[in-house]
Amino acid sequence: MIRSRLHRAATAASGHRCKQHRHYTKSLVASSTTHQKTKPSFFDQVDEQMNQDYPHQYESYLESKRAYKNRKEMMLQNEEARVRRLNNDDVVAPVMADTKLFQENTSSDVIERSSRSRHQVEQIEEPWYKKIEQQEGASTQSRAEEATSTAAETSKREAESNISLNLDNNHNNNTTGKKSSIFSSISKSALSFQDGDKSTTIPLAELFPSLYAKESSSNSATSSSHTDTTDAINPEMMYDARHFDAYREAMTAVMSNEKMQRTLSKFEKRDEANVQLIQKLKEWVLSDHRIIDEEVVGDRWSKLEKHWREEWTVGGASSLMEGSNGGNDPVSNVMKAELKAQNELFQSKLLQADDEGDDQEGEKDPQTFNQIAQLLFTALGRYCAERARSVPMEVAWYKVKESGLVLPKDTISTYLYVVGTMGMGDSFRMTTGDEEKKNSSEASISEEVVTYHDLAMKPTESSISLRVKAFASKGDAKTANELLEAFKKRIGDDVDNKEAIRLRTYLPILKQYCESKDVGAALAVFKQMQSISTVILEPENYVLLLASIAENGFFCTSSPPIEGALDLGLNHESGPELFDELVSEMADDVLEISSASASRLHNALSIGFKERPENNLKEMHPLASMPISRQPAESNEVVACRISLDRSSGICPVTQAQQRLIVLEPSQRRQLHDDLLTLSREQFSKFAGKRDGESPDRATEELLKFSDWLNERDGEPFTAILDGANIGYYMQSFDKGRFNYHQIKFMVDTLEERGENVLVVIPHKYGYNSFYTSKSHHQQLDAEERTIMNDLLRRKKLYKVPPRCLDDFYWMLASVSDQVSARKEVDLSVANDDSSGRWPGVRPVLISNDQMRDHKWELLEPRLFRRWYGCHIVNYNFTAFVMGECVDGNEIFFSQADFFSREIQGNQSGSGKAWHFPVSDWDLEERFAVRL
């Protein structure tokens, strides 16, 4: 937006070269003194005046102005790209203004353009105003040139006398008869004006190119002579264009922040010398080339890396775990000494050269320079972290190294976060130059940040994770594992420690061992990962290990043993038995895999069993969809395919193995029961809030009363629990819809006819004769509905949940209750061949269409929740009631609970065991079947 506005301003202002230039300026200045609230913008006034004076050429004027702006922008971009691409001696230099106002207000796009690029483009392009002048004739053109020259001379005289006209002050001076101006300020280099509430600054070279062409030529000649006597900037000293553009955008945003502007203003007011110091700092921060050669900076950082490695060599990994706390330890002193030396070298090149020609009183303070630089690069780190941008760090980190800045601890941690979690490149690269200079010994940015972090502070899980990743990427998994084990000893077994080891720290080591086919070491690391409670293994981690072992042929019947397998606590060293043992552990930890993991395991088994006669597997493309197999396999045939289970029997068509319904064990039912008590307390505190004198434990106490009632009541045990609110509101979203007791009675009668003993659980408010519905409509129960409710209460088949408690916890707890007195330890499950026609499965079942997608259920252990959901939930479908009426022959259709469990399980198949893996992105009945 700023760029387009600047071009419009430059293009429109150039039209002042026509014969009415003085007339336009006077009329615009005069018009700005009246009607301030409705005054059109500067550009609107120019266009309006052109329309009045040149009505026949106005459309051509607008079209030419747009075309000129677009062509000029394109030529500027092409010229700048060519300069960068050729890396010639005429490096694009910023166009700097003489006044502080220009420095503050000019956009970075204008500052970056070189005067050389501007004049080349302006000589190539024919500005739009020349078309109008040619149509008016030669006399008009000569008058326009005369007007242009006069206007330019006037502007220069005003600049030389430092005329500064403030628009806001002019508003207040209207009553005194002073003229107001559309220009805020003007200098030899730039023009600032107010466009509405925004201030814009344009170099005069854009407004009066013919005038400044001569000055540009003389400046160019001077610049050429200067270039001959000084060394041109080495192209290798420039940053990569893509990295620098991203960095410049981020740093410009940081520097333009209001808080940062106020901070810089305070520094400027503190000392006159700080004004030039901050300006020099801004120039360096936004400079696209380095001050210090990369080799010099690299040597110093090599010393720090060497020091880190020497500590490792002498004292081992444990000696590095103490790190530095910023005191007088040797590690901290070495870090400080190197940074101090680098900072002195940097400031000697950047500041002292500038001081030689500085006549201004006051001395530039290097510490002030460092302090402001710290503020800028700290803000830049936060900017990148908040917006998930890592590319600006490619340049920012080199500038930090180049200047030898001592960053605050929180800033170092922020940089560590950015380079560690946002995919920084493996190595720091400048502009594409001599590729032969790139070698494996160059430290990556992430490693350098880690070295900075660990030498300045104690190593953390984040820094160790990056260091481990670096070692593993270089093939040194052994050293990475040694470092990790030393760190693990330092932090101990405290699972609440914020530095506890995570999966991300171990995973690079496991991957490196698997890629290098060191199966024994991979198995050992995997066992270490299993032993740490804070390392949460994912299905892909198990598949990675299984695929690595399979590809190396260790799952074959007569394969050699894996070295050290028995020492790790395994019962088998190789063969199908080892596969069964590892997948059994996997089944206890994860529920399903992805289709990508299924393809990975299929291909790995195809490679490992390639030379075996019993193998019929063929490798497939990793991205190809695996076809469904239906042909029964031979008894000794290796199976690794996609199958679809029979929904009614759970039998696999390929292996003939029958799937089981894995129910909750007694200990798991008690765990789920206790988890619901805890969850009810948390939810009550979070959503229900607090009342005077009401304990947050009230929800738990009420739920315990319900649990005790279920265990102590006599009579027949409940075999079907009804979610009353779900059934009462089923399909009642029409205009006259309501909480319908007739639907609840319809469900109760149907289930009782099928031999079930029901319990209806409803929220407390629905147990009254009137209440507000979920749509906030007041509902009054009619006589029939009151009769239904009272009948259920009389028969003790309706339980009203206490006020402000969630009914979900009640019907869920009822489904796992032991019902001690009523059951008398009798198994309530229904067999497959039940003669009464009841659907088979566990009891009690829960009748509800609730999809259980509420976030509160995520707090439950996933395996327990899935087993409970699969075994107990029964969905339903019927035609909704309108008040007490329904269609003739209305019938309820039930979708019974799972007949077999949707989780990894192994079952007998021939002489071996067949494993079936549910796949997250396949159909519910589909499995990835493996039999070795």
Side-chain angles (χ1 to χ4, degrees):
M1 181 182 295
I2 295 176
R3 176 182 297 177
S4 61
R5 179 170 295 168
L6 290 170
H7 280 293
R8 288 199 307 270
T11 307
S14 297
H16 291 197
R17 300 185 203 191
C18 64
K19 62 180 180 180
Q20 284 84 6
H21 173 77
R22 293 181 179 177
H23 171 68
Y24 292 163
T25 304
K26 291 181 180 180
S27 61
L28 292 178
V29 170
S31 63
S32 63
T33 61
T34 58
H35 306 291
Q36 296 296 327
K37 294 184 179 180
T38 60
K39 184 193 69 174
S41 68
F42 172 78
F43 310 111
D44 293 335
Q45 294 178 64
V46 171
D47 290 344
E48 181 180 356
Q49 197 67 44
M50 287 294 296
N51 189 20
Q52 293 175 2
D53 293 345
Y54 295 93
H56 300 292
Q57 291 86 12
Y58 184 66
E59 291 299 327
S60 175
Y61 151 73
L62 292 178
E63 182 180 354
S64 300
K65 186 169 68 170
R66 287 191 295 267
Y68 170 71
K69 180 186 69 174
N70 294 334
R71 289 197 303 272
K72 184 174 180 181
E73 177 64 17
M74 180 182 67
M75 293 298 296
L76 283 171
Q77 293 177 357
N78 291 342
E79 176 61 14
E80 292 176 1
R82 187 184 69 82
V83 171
R84 290 183 180 276
R85 186 167 57 251
L86 298 179
N87 291 324
N88 59 9
D89 294 339
D90 280 338
V91 178
V92 178
V95 178
M96 303 302 297
D98 292 344
T99 63
K100 179 179 174 181
L101 180 62
F102 175 75
Q103 296 166 0
E104 293 177 347
N105 294 338
T106 306
S107 68
S108 57
D109 290 318
V110 174
I111 293 179
E112 286 172 2
R113 297 173 184 166
S114 67
S115 57
R116 172 182 176 276
S117 299
R118 291 186 207 278
H119 299 315
Q120 283 184 349
V121 174
E122 289 168 355
Q123 290 170 5
I124 294 174
E125 289 295 325
E126 183 180 14
W128 54 269
Y129 67 83
K130 286 192 176 182
K131 294 185 178 181
I132 299 177
E133 293 172 352
Q134 291 172 358
Q135 294 174 3
E136 290 294 321
S139 59
T140 302
Q141 181 175 359
S142 61
R143 290 195 301 270
E145 291 176 352
E146 180 183 356
T148 300
S149 177
T150 305
E153 291 175 0
T154 302
S155 299
K156 291 188 66 177
R157 286 195 301 271
E158 290 176 348
E160 292 170 356
S161 59
N162 295 321
I163 294 177
S164 179
L165 302 177
N166 186 280
L167 185 59
D168 295 332
N169 293 336
N170 288 334
H171 292 332
N172 300 328
N173 294 335
N174 285 340
T175 57
T176 62
K178 294 183 179 180
K179 286 188 176 182
S180 173
S181 173
I182 62 171
F183 304 117
S184 298
S185 65
I186 186 167
S187 71
K188 292 182 180 180
S189 300
L191 171 71
S192 293
F193 59 90
Q194 200 76 16
D195 181 16
D197 296 333
K198 298 182 180 179
S199 179
T200 305
T201 304
I202 307 173
L204 294 180
E206 283 195 356
L207 298 178
F208 309 107
S210 60
L211 172 66
Y212 280 78
K214 296 180 180 180
E215 294 184 9
S216 175
S217 301
S218 60
N219 292 338
S220 178
T222 305
S223 175
S224 300
S225 61
H226 177 72
T227 304
D228 295 336
T229 59
T230 59
D231 294 334
I233 297 178
N234 189 339
E236 294 185 358
M237 294 287 284
M238 297 185 66
Y239 298 104
D240 179 89
R242 184 179 67 88
H243 296 162
F244 182 76
D245 288 344
Y247 162 80
R248 180 185 58 196
E249 178 186 353
M251 182 57 81
T252 302
V254 167
M255 295 173 66
S256 61
N257 179 269
E258 292 183 6
K259 185 177 180 180
M260 183 62 69
Q261 290 287 345
R262 289 195 299 268
T263 302
L264 295 179
S265 297
K266 290 180 181 179
F267 277 100
E268 291 176 344
K269 294 177 181 178
R270 190 180 302 171
D271 190 342
E272 187 68 24
N274 287 348
V275 176
Q276 287 193 353
L277 184 70
I278 292 176
Q279 180 57 35
K280 197 68 178 177
L281 174 62
K282 289 180 179 180
E283 293 178 12
W284 167 68
V285 164
L286 294 177
S287 174
D288 62 352
H289 62 274
R290 297 172 289 166
I291 302 298
I292 309 296
D293 188 82
E294 185 183 13
E295 292 184 1
V296 177
V297 178
D299 289 344
R300 195 171 303 281
W301 279 89
S302 296
K303 292 179 183 178
L304 292 176
E305 183 70 18
K306 182 180 179 181
H307 177 72
W308 188 92
R309 293 182 181 275
E310 285 177 352
E311 290 290 321
W312 170 278
T313 305
V314 175
S318 58
S319 66
L320 294 171
M321 292 303 108
E322 298 304 321
S324 169
N325 56 8
N328 294 321
D329 56 277
V331 175
S332 177
N333 290 336
V334 170
M335 178 78 168
K336 290 178 180 178
E338 293 295 338
L339 291 180
K340 181 179 180 182
Q342 180 64 34
N343 185 256
E344 291 175 351
L345 174 64
F346 168 75
Q347 297 215 24
S348 68
K349 287 183 173 291
L350 185 67
L351 299 181
Q352 291 182 9
D354 185 61
D355 289 340
E356 293 177 358
D358 188 6
D359 297 332
Q360 183 176 347
E361 295 183 0
E363 184 178 353
K364 297 175 183 176
D365 183 9
Q367 294 304 319
T368 302
F369 184 96
N370 292 337
Q371 187 178 357
I372 300 174
Q374 283 180 358
L375 292 175
L376 289 175
F377 284 100
T378 295
L380 180 66
R382 289 196 302 267
Y383 179 92
C384 293
E386 292 169 356
R387 292 161 179 78
R389 296 181 184 177
S390 60
V391 178
M393 299 300 294
E394 297 274 0
V395 176
W397 179 245
Y398 189 87
K399 287 185 178 289
V400 169
K401 292 193 304 177
E402 177 183 58
S403 59
L405 282 180
V406 179
L407 297 176
K409 291 183 178 181
D410 58 343
T411 302
I412 301 174
S413 299
T414 302
Y415 276 45
L416 197 68
Y417 166 77
V418 174
V419 302
T421 62
M422 299 180 183
M424 286 295 297
D426 288 338
S427 59
F428 183 82
R429 298 289 182 239
M430 307 306 291
T431 48
T432 1
D434 194 357
E435 293 294 333
E436 295 180 358
K437 292 183 179 180
K438 298 178 181 179
N439 56 69
S440 58
S441 63
E442 289 182 327
S444 68
I445 292 184
S446 59
E447 287 183 83
E448 290 176 348
V449 175
V450 168
T451 299
Y452 193 113
H453 176 278
D454 289 353
L455 292 179
M457 302 184 293
K458 288 184 178 181
T460 62
E461 191 272 340
S462 298
S463 66
I464 291 297
S465 177
L466 289 175
R467 184 73 73 179
V468 164
K469 187 184 297 184
F471 278 127
S473 65
K474 297 174 183 177
D476 194 359
K478 181 179 178 181
T479 303
N481 196 32
E482 181 184 351
L483 177 64
L484 186 53
E485 288 301 307
F487 181 73
K488 187 168 68 173
K489 290 179 181 178
R490 182 176 76 82
I491 64 175
D493 299 327
D494 185 8
V495 296
D496 295 327
N497 191 328
K498 65 178 182 179
E499 302 301 340
I501 298 176
R502 314 295 178 190
L503 173 64
R504 64 176 183 178
T505 311
Y506 261 114
L507 197 55
I509 303 175
L510 177 64
K511 288 182 176 180
Q512 175 56 33
Y513 279 136
C514 289
E515 291 173 1
S516 61
K517 300 183 178 181
D518 192 345
V519 176
L523 198 54
V525 169
F526 193 83
K527 284 298 180 181
Q528 293 175 16
M529 297 167 69
Q530 285 182 312
S531 66
I532 302 177
S533 59
T534 54
V535 176
I536 310 300
L537 292 169
E538 302 288 345
E540 292 77 14
N541 309 141
Y542 282 97
V543 172
L544 173 64
L545 178 68
L546 292 172
S548 178
I549 299 175
E551 286 176 341
N552 290 277
F554 287 106
F555 287 145
C556 298
T557 305
S558 57
S559 60
I562 298 176
E563 183 179 356
L566 298 179
D567 297 335
L568 297 174
L570 293 170
N571 298 320
H572 304 88
E573 297 178 287
S574 63
E577 296 80 10
L578 177 61
F579 180 83
D580 294 341
E581 186 174 359
L582 293 176
V583 177
S584 295
E585 296 177 358
M586 179 181 180
D588 292 336
D589 201 16
V590 299
L591 294 170
E592 59 190 11
I593 62 175
S594 65
S595 59
S597 295
S599 299
R600 175 80 174 90
L601 195 52
H602 172 276
N603 286 343
L605 292 169
S606 301
I607 295 172
F609 282 85
K610 190 174 184 179
E611 304 299 331
R612 303 290 173 165
E614 65 273 18
N615 176 45
N616 291 323
L617 302 177
K618 304 292 183 183
E619 283 189 70
M620 56 179 293
H621 192 282
L623 300 180
S625 177
M626 191 180 298
I628 297 178
S629 299
R630 296 181 174 85
Q631 185 67 28
E634 300 292 335
S635 58
N636 64 339
E637 183 180 347
V638 176
V639 175
C641 61
R642 178 179 182 178
I643 59 94
S644 181
L645 296 170
D646 186 296
R647 183 69 179 84
S648 59
S649 64
I651 296 177
C652 172
V654 177
T655 64
Q656 302 304 310
Q658 185 172 17
Q659 304 301 289
R660 296 170 288 120
L661 179 64
I662 306 176
V663 300
L664 291 171
E665 299 175 358
S667 61
Q668 293 174 325
R669 294 167 69 94
R670 285 193 295 272
Q671 180 183 343
L672 190 59
H673 176 278
D674 295 342
D675 288 345
L676 286 171
L677 293 175
T678 303
L679 188 58
S680 66
R681 184 185 188 280
E682 294 176 357
Q683 293 295 309
F684 183 82
S685 301
K686 184 176 181 179
F687 295 106
K690 296 181 180 179
R691 289 186 176 180
D692 294 339
E694 188 174 39
S695 170
D697 295 325
R698 175 177 171 269
T700 303
E701 294 170 356
E702 295 291 349
L703 191 56
L704 268 175
K705 291 179 183 178
F706 177 64
S707 177
D708 293 341
W709 175 75
L710 288 173
N711 285 326
E712 296 171 0
R713 62 175 289 277
D714 296 324
E716 293 295 322
F718 296 119
T719 60
I721 311 299
L722 275 60
D723 181 358
N726 185 269
I727 298 171
Y729 278 119
Y730 178 69
M731 301 291 287
Q732 293 291 318
S733 57
F734 50 88
D735 290 341
K736 295 184 179 181
R738 56 196 278 126
F739 181 81
N740 200 309
Y741 265 103
H742 295 281
Q743 294 187 164
I744 294 177
K745 183 180 186 303
F746 183 44
M747 180 67 73
V748 171
D749 294 343
T750 301
L751 291 172
E752 288 182 340
E753 290 175 2
R754 296 194 176 199
E756 307 291 349
N757 186 29
V758 303
L759 172 66
V760 181
V761 178
I762 61 171
H764 188 269
K765 67 177 183 179
Y766 299 124
Y768 293 94
N769 293 337
S770 64
F771 47 82
Y772 283 93
T773 67
S774 59
K775 298 180 180 180
S776 300
H777 297 158
H778 185 264
Q779 177 176 332
Q780 183 78 32
L781 297 182
D782 58 25
E784 288 187 63
E785 291 174 321
R786 290 196 297 271
T787 300
I788 295 173
M789 179 182 68
N790 293 331
D791 180 63
L792 291 173
L793 288 171
R794 179 183 59 80
R795 295 165 56 196
K796 296 183 178 180
K797 292 183 178 293
L798 181 66
Y799 189 89
K800 295 189 294 183
V801 175
R804 303 173 68 240
C805 294
L806 292 176
D807 61 313
D808 302 34
F809 299 126
Y810 286 77
W811 44 253
M812 187 173 181
L813 186 141
S815 67
V816 297
S817 173
D818 291 332
Q819 301 187 64
V820 179
S821 297
R823 288 181 58 179
K824 298 180 175 60
E825 298 184 357
V826 175
D827 185 8
L828 302 179
S829 299
V830 178
N832 294 342
D833 54 353
D834 182 74
S835 57
S836 63
R838 299 169 68 193
W839 59 75
V842 299
R843 292 295 187 277
V845 293
L846 174 60
I847 311 299
S848 176
N849 283 340
D850 194 327
Q851 297 300 308
M852 314 292 284
R853 291 172 180 164
D854 198 296
H855 292 297
K856 59 178 174 286
W857 305 122
E858 295 178 0
L859 302 177
L860 299 174
E861 202 279 319
R863 179 176 301 281
L864 297 185
F865 182 77
R866 174 171 288 197
R867 285 187 179 178
W868 169 83
Y869 189 92
C871 295
H872 292 271
I873 291 290
V874 173
N875 300 136
Y876 60 87
N877 181 32
F878 60 83
T879 303
F881 281 64
V882 178
M883 299 296 290
E885 300 179 358
C886 67
V887 297
D888 293 337
N890 198 2
E891 183 179 357
I892 301 178
F893 297 93
F894 294 97
S895 175
Q896 67 184 61
D898 289 346
F899 184 72
F900 50 86
S901 297
R902 192 172 183 270
E903 57 183 273
I904 300 173
Q905 58 176 288
N907 298 285
Q908 197 66 30
S909 175
S911 59
K913 182 177 285 188
W915 289 92
H916 291 79
F917 300 79
V919 179
S920 57
D921 41 349
W922 289 355
D923 291 342
L924 294 179
E925 287 77 33
E926 294 180 351
R927 301 288 188 273
F928 177 64
V930 178
R931 187 186 68 185
L932 305 182

